[in-house]
Amino acid sequence: MKEWNDEELERYSRHIILEDVGIEGQEKIQNARVLIIGAGGLGSPIALYLAAAGVGTIGIVDGDVVDLSNLQRQVIHTTAEVGVPKVESAKKKMLAINPHIKVNTYQTMLDATNILPIVEQYSFIIDGTDNFAAKFLINDACLLAKRPYSHGGILRFTGQTMTIRPYESACYACVFDSPPPAGIVPTCSSAGILGAVAGMLGTIQAAEALKFIVGAGELLENALLSFDAKTMNFRKIKFKKNPKCRVCGEGAHIHLRDYEQAVCELKP
């Protein structure tokens, strides 16, 4: 059992007094390794809350630099950091919140050649990406590495998320099978996104990661949680693992490949 100093006990006191977390759960959080893919609208609140929670090692992946148009929703970045790599901007805020954590940065776009060695270093993965090609690649890599992960997607006023435990629950491909053809999904520039929607979904994904780490409550496994911020209606759609899934079904073989990205969902 770790020896906690007074500063740490005060910092994490609201976790420690929780019946489902306690000192043992906080130690699990400190020993956890979580990878956030994307430092944008979803990755921003995820990174801030995981850092504040005391997740011991957090990896964050993003190949972009901060753009002025990001600031309406990507709350981890500031105006002064326009042009700065997003992973460096995010790391600065995460360590400012909690200097006791370790933040690993990967200033790159993940593809079939580099995703697996990065994913394998972490115990839980969070998808905060903005396009279908990345989401299907993340699903494939997490199943191949047998790493649980949280999927998240946002568009206009809506968000959706599910948690995948490889070969135990339904995977992303069980539900959506393959990326949609060109012309089906709105473009980044035409669809738009209410900035707060990214925060709403990102905090849910952060909560799923922390629940997984401490073993509290029920994860969004075999269920897709969606919401519409215009009406504040939340809906949970339950489903089962597809035995014929091309990725995790019986006899399926995963070959990491880069999916064609005809149109992006939306830049979170």
Side-chain angles (χ1 to χ4, degrees), residues 36-44 47 60-62 74 76-77 86-87 90 128 268:
I36 305 167
I37 303 177
L42 296 177
S44 291
I60 189 158
V61 184
D62 200 302
Q74 300 181 16
I76 205 167
H77 310 302
K86 288 185 181 180
V87 292

Side-chain angles (χ1 to χ4, degrees), residues 165-241:
R165 200 186 299 259
Y167 303 105
E168 296 182 31
S169 68
C171 78
Y172 186 66
C174 284
V175 182
F176 298 104
D177 187 52
S178 300
I184 298 299
V185 183
T187 64
C188 292
S189 59
S190 66
I193 177 70
L194 185 70
V197 168
M200 292 169 67
L201 191 69
T203 53
I204 292 173
Q205 290 185 272
E208 284 288 284
L210 293 170
K211 285 161 53 185
F212 172 81
I213 293 167
V214 302
E218 297 180 2
L219 297 174
L220 288 169
E221 296 176 306
N222 295 319
L224 183 72
L225 177 69
S226 62
F227 66 83
D228 185 338
K230 286 168 69 172
T231 60
M232 281 302 169
N233 286 329
F234 284 71
R235 182 184 182 191
K236 186 186 291 186
I237 304 169
K238 296 186 178 181
F239 43 81
K240 296 181 180 179
K241 186 175 181 294

Side-chain angles (χ1 to χ4, degrees), residues 96-134:
I97 290 173
N98 193 341
H100 303 300
I101 65 171
K102 179 180 180 182
V103 180
N104 298 326
T105 60
Y106 305 89
Q107 190 185 354
T108 185
M109 294 298 185
L110 294 182
D111 58 32
T113 67
N114 64 10
I115 188 170
L116 197 59
I118 296 176
V119 164
E120 288 177 331
Q121 298 177 48
Y122 296 87
S123 55
F124 192 86
I125 316 300
I126 304 181
D127 165 27
T129 61
D130 62 2
N131 64 83
F132 285 111

Side-chain angles (χ1 to χ4, degrees), residues 42-64:
L42 296 177
S44 291
I46 294 166
L48 293 172
Y49 273 107
L50 294 188
V55 172
T57 303
I58 304 172
I60 189 158
V61 184
D62 200 302
D64 283 341

